[in-house]
Amino acid sequence: MADNKKPKEGSGLPKLPASTIWMLSFGFLGVQMAFTLQSSQMSRIFQTIGADPNNLGWFFILPPLAGLIVQPIVGYYSDRTWAPKLGGRRLPYLILGTIVAAIVMFLLPNSGSMGFGYASFTALLFGAITVAFLDLSSNVAMQPFKMMVGDMVNDDQKSYAYGIQSFLSNTGAVIAAIFPFVLTAFGLANTAKKGVVPQSVIWSFYLGAAILIISTLFTMGRVKEYDPQTYARYHGISEDANKKGGNWLDLLKKAPKIFWTVTLVQFFCWMAFQYLWTYSAGAISVNVWHTANASSAGYQAAGNWYGVLAAVQSIAAVIWSYVLAKIPNSKHKLGYSLSLLLGAIGFVSVFMIHSQYALIVSYVLVGMSWAAMNTYPLTMITNALSGEHMGTYLGLFNGSICLPQIVASLASFGLFPLFGNSQPHMFLLGGIIMAVAALTVGFIKETYKA
């Protein structure tokens, strides 16, 4: 539980026990499982039910578009919310997001089993709508965890808190990513009739939904947010500070410079990762199993193997996060840039490698860049912000994640044919984009102004 002693005016946030910091983010384990199942299996699901690889970009536009709109709204209204019976400011939104996400996780993998027919407009539309709702609800559930760290954790512990969040996030990603592979090993069918998603994938989503609910309940039961008066005193602001203003354009005009420089880096990073999520299963299937037929056993095996590689990526991210945590503040930019450059090498190697097991090295390198993307940006941004409109600012900053994914998906309609309709070639493009991201880190000037 958080310290409930009445603070002195402007006394600063107190030091929290490690157990409280863990519970602040524990539900992130389940939320990240939802995101990982979506990102690692979405391309597989849509190609299985009949989507043309050249049109995958349309399906991948909806999730970031939902996040671009929803996250600032959640931030804006949660800044003004105080519902003690539902947990406080951020937790009511966590409850709503979790309930909707769990329901949609039961619907999405059954897109091909509704009797709509293979490659029918209705089947693909149903899948697209459920993906949009899954991403929307997952965003509603995820944002409170980021905000509560900004609300309740002092600057000295913030890096540790986001490190714990990264650890739980990547742990959830590992578990979710290997579900299809493990369930297949336990005897669930990994193939199905044409247009139907295999049972190994369907049950992966069911288990993910169950863990999402359980992990969220842990956070709900163990975290008590600061009431408005206590929050204002700890942050040295007035109680009315978050009740007025908050116009998005005005806040963006007043945003510290680092908000924009980190956003520039984020733009290139998330554009590259959008191509990884969109084309991994297909690229691995073509390069290793030598098939582009989504109904084939080889393609479904490639889908399972991508799940394993996604787990490898997350494990590498966990380990590399500990390395990054040892880097002093003065070397943050070096750690950030180096990690992204290693990720660029990983992307390019996926294009070149035709060995199933050699791809492990590729995704280890990608995981190292993923660790930096989840460690540095939020720490840099929240350290530069005061407690005023914290949720709204973090919601707006989420645009640096969502907008590049939308741009990447739209650009894919021209780039995919330009690269010979080759899914492996999109990794070459992703590597170039990641290298540009590594270079743009040089524009960042860290600040710790309130």
Side-chain angles (χ1 to χ4, degrees):
M1 295 285 186
D3 182 2
N4 287 317
K5 294 179 181 178
K6 291 295 180 183
K8 295 179 180 179
E9 187 74 40
S11 59
L13 289 160
K15 183 176 181 179
L16 297 178
S19 59
T20 299
I21 292 177
W22 276 86
M23 285 299 105
L24 276 173
S25 295
F26 193 74
F28 212 93
L29 177 81
V31 174
Q32 189 57 44
M33 290 184 72
F35 273 114
T36 299
L37 285 168
Q38 173 187 306
S39 62
S40 67
Q41 301 300 320
M42 197 162 87
S43 176
R44 178 183 184 180
I45 289 172
F46 279 113
Q47 291 192 65
T48 296
I49 64 177
D52 185 330
N54 194 42
N55 293 325
L56 285 176
W58 290 117
F59 302 106
F60 280 81
I61 286 174
L62 293 173
L65 184 61
L68 185 66
I69 298 169
V70 170
Q71 296 251 25
I73 292 174
V74 172
Y76 178 88
Y77 283 105
S78 65
D79 278 342
R80 290 157 171 72
T81 295
W82 178 244
K85 291 184 178 180
L86 292 176
R89 306 174 73 203
R90 317 296 186 187
L91 292 176
Y93 297 89
L94 173 59
I95 297 171
L96 174 63
T98 297
I99 292 172
V100 177
I103 293 172
V104 177
M105 287 176 76
F106 278 90
L107 294 175
L108 174 58
N110 289 294
S111 300
S113 306
M114 300 291 189
F116 299 131
Y118 175 69
S120 72
F121 174 79
T122 305
L124 295 173
L125 179 62
F126 179 83
I129 292 172
T130 52
V131 162
F133 269 97
L134 176 57
D135 198 84
L136 185 152
S137 55
S138 297
N139 273 289
V140 172
M142 177 183 68
Q143 196 69 351
F145 295 110
K146 297 179 180 179
M147 294 174 184
M148 285 190 293
V149 171
D151 289 345
M152 301 176 67
V153 181
N154 64 39
D155 286 355
D156 291 336
Q157 292 183 296
K158 200 168 286 179
S159 181
Y160 171 74
Y162 281 121
I164 294 302
Q165 199 167 92
S166 178
F167 171 80
L168 289 166
S169 169
N170 284 298
T171 299
V174 170
I175 296 170
I178 64 173
F179 266 161
F181 186 86
V182 172
L183 292 175
T184 300
F186 274 94
L188 265 69
N190 194 49
T191 57
K193 66 181 182 179
K194 189 175 183 179
V196 175
V197 177
Q199 287 293 306
S200 59
V201 176
I202 291 174
W203 277 94
S204 294
F205 276 83
Y206 291 172
L207 290 172
I211 295 174
L212 169 62
I213 294 170
I214 293 169
S215 63
T216 297
L217 288 174
F218 267 97
T219 291
M220 293 294 304
R222 297 298 302 275
V223 172
K224 182 177 175 60
E225 295 187 71
Y226 298 134
D227 61 69
Q229 181 182 22
T230 304
Y231 179 89
R233 287 181 176 272
Y234 277 147
H235 285 273
I237 61 175
S238 70
E239 268 191 74
D240 292 332
N242 283 318
K243 295 179 181 178
K244 57 187 178 181
N247 178 280
W248 294 1
L249 289 178
D250 289 342
L251 290 178
L252 288 174
K253 290 177 183 177
K254 298 174 184 177
K257 185 177 179 181
I258 193 172
F259 182 98
W260 298 108
T261 51
V262 174
T263 292
L264 179 64
V265 178
Q266 289 272 87
F267 182 87
F268 293 112
C269 289
W270 287 90
M271 190 172 179
F273 267 81
Q274 183 75 344
Y275 291 141
L276 179 142
W277 295 323
T278 306
Y279 299 109
S280 273
I284 294 167
S285 180
V286 170
N287 274 2
V288 179
W289 275 268
H290 309 295
T291 179
N293 181 3
S295 298
S296 67
Y299 180 89
Q300 297 302 331
N304 274 9
W305 189 244
Y306 171 50
V308 173
L309 293 173
V312 167
Q313 173 190 319
S314 296
I315 293 170
V318 169
I319 296 171
W320 193 242
S321 293
Y322 282 109
V323 175
L324 296 179
K326 301 294 183 181
I327 296 177
N329 289 350
S330 61
K331 301 294 184 181
H332 274 180
K333 285 173 60 176
L334 177 62
Y336 198 2
S337 183
L338 176 62
S339 299
L340 299 184
L341 184 59
L342 291 171
I345 296 170
F347 268 81
V348 173
S349 68
V350 173
F351 161 70
M352 300 172 61
I353 289 174
H354 296 265
S355 165
Q356 175 181 356
Y357 297 102
L359 284 170
I360 291 174
V361 177
S362 303
Y363 280 81
V364 165
L365 295 174
V366 170
M368 294 165 79
S369 65
W370 182 247
M373 289 165 58
N374 285 278
T375 299
Y376 289 122
L378 283 174
T379 300
M380 291 176 173
I381 295 299
T382 55
N383 281 341
L385 296 172
S386 71
E388 288 190 49
H389 310 296
M390 176 73 76
T392 309
Y393 265 120
L394 290 181
L396 291 170
F397 182 66
N398 191 63
S400 70
I401 295 174
C402 298
L403 186 59
Q405 294 180 63
I406 295 171
V407 171
S409 293
L410 290 173
S412 71
F413 301 129
L415 292 172
F416 189 67
L418 184 65
F419 279 82
N421 294 316
S422 167
Q423 296 188 63
H425 275 79
M426 297 304 286
F427 277 84
L428 177 61
L429 174 62
I432 295 171
I433 295 172
M434 283 296 287
V436 173
L439 292 175
T440 57
V441 172
F443 293 107
I444 296 174
K445 290 184 179 180
E446 280 197 78
T447 174
Y448 292 91
K449 286 183 179 181

